Amino acid sequence: DSIDLALRGASISNDSQMGSDQAQVARARELFERALKLDPDNFEALVGAAWLDVDDIAYGRGDPAQIERAVDLLDRAIAAAPDQAQPYVAKAMLSMVTRRTQEAGENAARALRLDPNNPNVYAALGWTQTLSGRDQDALANIDKAVALSPRDPNLGFWFYLRGSALIDLKRY
């Protein structure tokens, strides 16, 4: 059923080495699309498919149509479950990689209000703060992400963000 397909897609997506295994990404995308054909409002499939597009865009593998598709998927996810933080985190990341820093900060702040225990929210907020020159604030939020999830698969990226903030602050 739709839920099973979406969960299988999420599992494969999580194992795709941050999107570097394109065969796994394609398989996850197929599962999300099949789930959405069965249930166009499947929250997990909407968010999962959108994250794959956001990752493609972030790593230079995407095209402009994927930006529109990701926005549509995330808007549908928000409509299906407006009290969930995940689509706002994905929207924040999409806004950052498309250089809309203010919009990214607004989406990250919204996600934080919805789920103050989600480490990805703090990392997204920290990234927006680094991009807008608020590096000291960024450090606090990135450190909060690490404290909440010290073995997170995104830890390497969070340390990259932390390093960027420290360099900007000239704290080598």
Side-chain angles (χ1 to χ4, degrees), residues 83-151:
D83 59 339
Q84 296 296 310
Q86 298 97 310
Y88 290 103
V89 175
K91 271 190 143 182
M93 295 303 222
L94 179 62
S95 297
M96 282 182 278
V97 299
T98 56
R99 296 185 171 35
R100 296 184 319 244
T101 310
Q102 181 175 345
E103 182 180 319
E106 292 166 2
N107 282 310
R110 178 71 185 263
L112 182 62
R113 286 191 299 277
L114 291 169
D115 188 358
N117 293 313
N118 183 330
N120 290 306
V121 172
Y122 288 96
L125 190 56
W127 192 11
T128 65
Q129 291 165 332
T130 297
L131 293 176
S132 59
R134 296 174 43 216
D135 295 295
Q136 197 61 50
D137 294 333
L139 285 174
N141 282 306
I142 294 163
D143 288 346
K144 177 79 173 182
V146 173
L148 285 170
S149 187
R151 291 183 180 82

Side-chain angles (χ1 to χ4, degrees), residues 18-165:
M18 304 298 274
S20 63
D21 185 335
Q22 289 302 293
Q24 282 190 313
V25 169
R27 179 71 178 132
R29 192 180 308 277
E30 175 199 348
L31 289 167
F32 290 136
E33 289 173 4
R34 286 175 51 201
L36 290 170
K37 283 182 183 171
L38 292 173
D39 178 3
D41 296 323
N42 181 312
F43 177 80
E44 296 298 334
L46 290 165
V47 173
W51 267 118
L52 293 178
D53 287 338
V54 171
D55 284 347
D56 280 351
I57 295 158
Y59 292 107
R61 298 184 298 259
D63 60 61
Q66 280 182 285
I67 296 171
E68 292 176 28
R69 175 182 144 90
V71 168
D72 176 62
L73 290 166
L74 293 168
D75 286 345
R76 288 169 50 199
I78 290 167
D83 59 339
Q84 296 296 310
Q86 298 97 310
Y88 290 103
V89 175
K91 271 190 143 182
M93 295 303 222
L94 179 62
S95 297
M96 282 182 278
V97 299
T98 56
R99 296 185 171 35
R100 296 184 319 244
T101 310
Q102 181 175 345
E103 182 180 319
E106 292 166 2
N107 282 310
R110 178 71 185 263
L112 182 62
R113 286 191 299 277
L114 291 169
D115 188 358
N117 293 313
N118 183 330
N120 290 306
V121 172
Y122 288 96
L125 190 56
W127 192 11
T128 65
Q129 291 165 332
T130 297
L131 293 176
S132 59
R134 296 174 43 216
D135 295 295
Q136 197 61 50
D137 294 333
L139 285 174
N141 282 306
I142 294 163
D143 288 346
K144 177 79 173 182
V146 173
L148 285 170
S149 187
R151 291 183 180 82
D152 199 279
N154 296 311
L155 194 61
F157 181 65
W158 298 347
F159 283 135
Y160 165 80
L161 295 175
R162 190 174 199 290
S164 295

